[in-house]
Amino acid sequence: MSQMSIPKPTIVCSRVDAASMNIMSHLLEMDEWEKRSFEPLYEDITSIYESGKFLLVEVSIHHIFQDGLDEKLGELGFLPSCFIFASKHKK
């Protein structure tokens, strides 16, 4: 388990959303991020990055299926203060 961190805004990016992955790629270039290791492993959480101000969580399924993500991250030692979902938008 990771050491408990301070609450941070948490950006959630989905591997199945091309726009989300593009946003993630740009975010990773804009700041210094540290890839965190974590256990227990959750099938839908593929990676977690932490910067001084934010958490960035990559998930393997669509954002809308992320019920309980705050609890899962809490079990891993990460404290989201709020969630920002990076995704495509259609009319």
Side-chain angles (χ1 to χ4, degrees):
M1 178 185 269
S2 153
Q3 184 177 1
M4 197 61 93
S5 63
I6 62 168
K8 292 183 179 181
T10 300
I11 305 164
V12 181
C13 298
S14 171
R15 280 189 172 185
V16 296
D17 182 335
S20 186
M21 294 311 295
N22 187 39
I23 293 166
M24 180 176 165
S25 172
H26 288 290
L27 288 170
L28 289 172
E29 292 175 1
M30 292 176 64
D31 202 353
E32 289 189 32
W33 297 88
E34 186 174 335
K35 189 170 185 175
R36 299 294 188 187
S37 59
F38 53 91
E39 287 202 29
L41 300 177
Y42 288 100
E43 188 173 304
D44 55 333
I45 300 174
T46 56
S47 56
I48 299 174
Y49 298 87
E50 191 167 15
S51 74
K53 298 179 184 178
F54 296 94
L55 287 176
L56 180 61
V57 177
E58 181 182 16
V59 296
S60 61
I61 59 177
H62 284 285
H63 302 88
I64 60 171
F65 300 114
Q66 291 304 314
D67 291 340
L69 184 58
D70 54 339
E71 293 153 354
K72 289 178 185 176
L73 290 171
E75 289 175 13
L76 299 173
F78 301 100
L79 299 173
S81 62
C82 66
F83 285 103
I84 302 164
F85 293 92
S87 66
K88 66 181 174 188
H89 298 278
K90 292 186 191 180
K91 287 187 177 185

